[in-house]
Amino acid sequence: MTAVGRVSLRENILQRGRNRERGRLLVFNHTVLLLMTAFAIAPLLVLAFNSFKSNSEIGSNPLGPPGSLILDNYERAWDQGNFAITMRNSVIYVVVTIAAELVLGGLAAYALARKRPPGSDLLMLYFLVASTIPVWMYIVPLFVQFRTLKLLGTMHGLIIIYVAGNAPLTIFLLRSYMIDLPRELEDAARVDGANEFQVLTRIVLPLTKPGFLTVGLVVGLGVWNEFTLALTFIHDPNFAPVTTSFFKFTDRFARDWALTSAGAVIIIFPVMVLFLALQRQFIEGLAEGGIKT
Amino acid sequence: MTLRQRIVPYLLLLPALVLLLVFNLLPTIATLVESTFVISLRSGERVFAGFANFERIFNDPIFWKSLQVTVVFSLVVNPLQIALSLGLSMLMNQRLPGIGIFRSIYLLPVAVSLNVTAIVWRLLLDKNTGMVNGILHQLGIERQPFLHSPEQALWSIILIASWIGVPLWSLFILAGLQNIPPPVLEAAKIDGANAWQSFTRVTLPLLRRVLAFVLVADTVANFLLFAPILLTTQGGPQLSTNLILYETYRRGFLYGDLGASAAMLSVMLLFVFVIVGVELYVLRGSD
């Protein structure tokens, strides 16, 4: 009884001290948080503001919110940037790359996580090293190869580069999700007469969905934002993604900031909405699989 | 094991392996091979030249200057990004009022493409009309040239790279922090650990693998930084931002000296192997 009383008194004194400390800490924390979020969002806000102004208004008021909303910039940017076509192209690049990547990577990761054929360790080492080597390391030979294989300037050619470039990291991450799955579930399904394909599609895939979502988002963000490869391998504007068409667009309208800002917002907006919507699952997915403490 | 059971795993691996072999491994080897060839001035043909390309780049002050810029850049940008990512992730992981909104905004730059980032920051850092100079001017500080000055350009690139880099690496560290069970930290608190002690003795050791991954991935990514240079300074002014990967592009694509470019890439590949080797070593140590 007395012991309990003493503990709660001590707790009480400690608690009061902690509350004061916590109050000071809260102010400090929020100051840092405000500064950092300002640093993150200020450039985006200025961009959004300027996309609604005329160029003369940007001249007199380069930072603040627009006096009135001018939607004209968006209309012009959409036409001049050829966004109707390039936006469609980018969606194709992203969707097809993610689909191919997840099928290819999923099969390979399953083999490595579950079957462990001889040579698995060597393959993992290769994937790890390869995942750090960017395409720029071998772009010239790749270019020559693409000319020989008649893949140069084609959409499926560029998709092949994206799938191959992302494959090592995809396999690496997906494998670490699958290796954690309890084997008993798969064995139980086999006892019930499921074949290998059914085990993969009915048991393993549904359980590793968060992993596939996270990897899909990593790959998708990368492909949507990719720029240098598309610039090198695609020359026909009808096959170009939004990033290269935006690059050429800013070259042509270097002085027209209202137009450039509207173009940038058109590119950023869709991914930003998607990223905000999926952020929580994304971090949880990373925490569950690839990133182990 | 039946033959069929033995073959199935390789069949599953086959599509990925073929793709990687043809479009990843072979071209990488081709780059290494290319580094030993030169284009003959007399006949215009490719001839084997042994280590001539390497000799050429090792005697070239521009290559050394570029390496020096890369080293200075790496020594500043990596510790900066990792320290900021770690500190801010810990802040974002706390239960504070409105933390969800802060976290979402803070992570937003990750979704922005690098070329949009580079173009936007080029506008923000403009000497006369840029936002940054606008704020400095308000504070009574003189307008700065930023990307147009040999002294400030590299620092401006560090700023641009970190705008995406810090939130990007925070994503991974946040994921790692979420894996630390709260009871572990509470236990440390009950045992009388102060904030610093619980950070160094509990949080850091539990984050070791994540931090090792982030450290190496960040180092390699910054070592191979390219697009922001192409879109802002193109290596200038006075080669002050001529990072090594941009130098290989300049040499190979702008001057058409593919042999020297391939030799530089081979040297860089060696660097990457060393970095990944260190990663494997560190990861093994913590298992």
Side-chain angles (χ1 to χ4, degrees):
Chain A
M1 193 60 187
T2 42
V4 173
R6 219 178 291 148
V7 167
S8 69
L9 182 68
R10 188 168 150 249
E11 267 300 298
N12 207 341
I13 295 169
L14 276 177
Q15 192 61 44
R16 252 182 292 166
R18 253 184 246 142
N19 280 347
R20 249 204 318 275
E21 201 180 312
R22 190 174 292 166
R24 270 201 302 271
L25 207 63
L26 264 183
V27 174
F28 171 77
N29 282 348
H30 271 92
T31 315
V32 177
L33 284 174
L34 275 176
L35 280 175
M36 277 321 293
T37 41
F39 176 63
I41 207 170
L44 299 171
L45 270 185
V46 171
L47 199 67
F49 287 162
N50 287 356
S51 70
F52 293 111
K53 296 174 193 168
S54 66
N55 274 311
S56 59
E57 194 187 343
I58 292 180
S60 60
N61 168 24
L63 304 175
S68 60
L69 291 185
I70 302 171
L71 291 171
D72 180 49
N73 294 326
Y74 282 94
E75 233 168 89
R76 273 169 58 225
W78 185 265
D79 290 339
Q80 296 291 340
N82 207 9
F83 280 132
I85 289 171
T86 56
M87 197 65 98
R88 185 206 64 193
N89 292 344
S90 274
V91 170
I92 294 175
Y93 284 122
V94 169
V95 171
V96 177
T97 304
I98 291 180
E101 190 74 67
L102 292 184
V103 171
L104 220 76
L107 291 176
Y110 180 65
L112 288 170
R114 276 299 181 256
K115 309 290 180 195
R116 297 196 145 271
S120 293
D121 291 342
L122 203 67
L123 279 177
M124 287 307 294
L125 183 68
Y126 168 63
F127 291 145
L128 185 66
V129 176
S131 71
T132 60
I133 301 174
V135 188
W136 274 101
M137 287 291 204
Y138 50 85
I139 196 158
V140 175
L142 195 65
F143 194 84
V144 176
Q145 199 183 38
F146 261 52
R147 210 165 39 201
T148 331
L149 296 172
K150 303 236 181 312
L151 288 171
L152 212 57
T154 64
M155 289 184 81
H156 54 274
L158 189 59
I159 289 171
I160 287 176
I161 302 181
Y162 289 155
V163 176
N166 283 306
L169 186 68
T170 302
I171 296 171
F172 205 79
L173 288 175
L174 286 181
R175 174 186 161 273
S176 60
Y177 286 101
M178 290 182 178
I179 224 163
D180 281 348
L181 282 187
R183 225 173 239 274
E184 291 75 22
L185 289 172
E186 292 158 57
D187 291 337
R190 282 196 192 96
V191 170
D192 287 348
N195 62 32
E196 286 303 305
F197 183 72
Q198 285 169 326
V199 170
L200 181 63
T201 52
R202 305 258 174 91
I203 308 287
V204 179
L205 284 186
L207 287 173
T208 39
K209 223 165 81 188
F212 278 90
L213 181 89
T214 301
V215 174
L217 200 61
V218 171
V219 172
L221 264 181
V223 172
W224 179 271
N225 289 336
E226 203 287 321
F227 154 70
T228 36
L229 287 169
L231 198 64
T232 315
F233 284 88
I234 300 285
H235 296 119
D236 186 339
N238 286 320
F239 298 148
V242 279
T243 45
T244 57
S245 83
F246 177 68
F247 174 65
K248 299 214 164 112
F249 174 87
T250 50
D251 246 14
R252 248 189 319 154
F253 302 102
R255 295 271 141 220
D256 196 339
W257 288 6
L259 198 62
T260 330
S261 303
V265 172
I266 292 175
I267 293 185
I268 296 173
F269 193 68
V271 258
M272 200 159 273
V273 170
L274 198 70
F275 182 72
L276 277 175
L278 294 176
Q279 201 185 70
R280 184 173 286 270
Q281 285 101 306
F282 184 54
I283 295 177
E284 276 166 14
L286 279 179
E288 248 171 69
I291 295 304
K292 287 276 152 36
T293 47
Chain B
M1 231 201 269
T2 64
L3 182 67
R4 211 183 120 174
Q5 274 173 322
R6 228 173 289 172
I7 288 178
V8 165
Y10 292 105
L11 284 181
L12 294 174
L13 279 163
L14 195 66
L17 287 183
V18 169
L19 197 72
L20 282 170
L21 181 75
V22 178
F23 298 105
N24 187 299
L25 192 60
L26 285 181
T28 308
I29 293 171
T31 296
L32 297 178
V33 172
E34 187 65 37
S35 69
T36 59
F37 281 86
V38 292
I39 307 285
S40 160
L41 286 176
R42 218 176 308 144
S43 61
E45 279 170 13
R46 258 170 97 244
V47 287
F48 181 72
F51 287 104
N53 285 321
F54 290 92
E55 248 169 72
R56 221 147 42 87
I57 62 167
F58 289 142
N59 287 318
D60 183 347
I62 291 181
F63 172 71
W64 288 110
K65 162 87 181 164
S66 172
L67 258 189
Q68 185 208 332
V69 170
T70 309
V71 169
V72 171
F73 174 74
S74 299
L75 285 180
V76 176
V77 83
N78 295 319
L80 181 82
Q81 289 188 354
I82 290 170
L84 280 177
S85 310
L86 180 62
L88 291 165
S89 303
M90 298 203 38
L91 203 56
M92 299 287 167
N93 199 41
Q94 282 176 341
R95 288 218 185 99
L96 295 171
I99 194 73
I101 298 165
F102 280 119
R103 186 156 56 197
S104 291
I105 296 174
Y106 164 69
L107 294 175
L108 220 44
V110 175
V112 182
S113 93
L114 250 182
N115 67 332
V116 172
T117 304
I119 288 161
V120 170
W121 275 99
R122 203 175 59 194
L123 300 180
L124 293 174
L125 292 173
D126 187 273
K127 177 155 189 199
N128 298 312
T129 52
M131 177 182 80
V132 179
N133 269 318
I135 294 171
L136 290 183
H137 189 71
Q138 294 283 318
L139 296 172
I141 301 168
E142 212 176 311
R143 289 180 182 277
Q144 302 296 320
F146 294 121
L147 289 164
H148 297 288
S149 134
E151 285 80 35
Q152 293 176 2
L154 193 62
W155 299 97
S156 309
I157 296 289
I158 289 172
L159 177 80
I160 296 172
S162 300
W163 187 69
I164 287 190
V166 172
L168 176 67
W169 304 117
S170 293
L171 268 181
F172 292 91
I173 298 177
L174 268 171
L177 284 171
Q178 291 194 351
N179 267 344
I180 299 178
V184 175
L185 288 170
E186 276 156 29
K189 206 176 264 176
I190 289 168
D191 287 346
N194 60 33
W196 176 248
Q197 283 169 332
S198 82
F199 171 68
T200 53
R201 306 221 182 129
V202 181
T203 309
L204 269 191
L206 285 174
L207 277 182
R208 189 160 59 180
R209 281 184 61 130
V210 181
L211 286 177
F213 166 78
V214 168
L215 178 72
V216 174
D218 190 28
T219 313
V220 174
N222 283 319
F223 183 63
L224 302 169
L225 196 78
F226 174 77
I229 306 288
L230 175 73
L231 293 165
T232 56
T233 61
Q234 274 130 36
Q238 294 163 34
L239 298 178
S240 64
T241 58
N242 195 31
L243 292 176
I244 187 77
L245 192 57
Y246 191 78
E247 171 61 18
T248 68
Y249 164 80
R250 236 170 48 97
R251 203 64 74 94
F253 281 73
L254 301 184
Y255 298 141
D257 189 348
L258 292 178
S261 177
M264 284 182 202
L265 287 170
S266 304
V267 173
M268 290 176 65
L269 209 57
L270 193 71
F271 273 107
V272 171
F273 283 157
V274 170
I275 296 171
V276 174
V278 170
E279 172 183 48
L280 282 179
Y281 183 76
V282 174
L283 286 182
R284 185 163 302 160
S286 66
D287 264 342

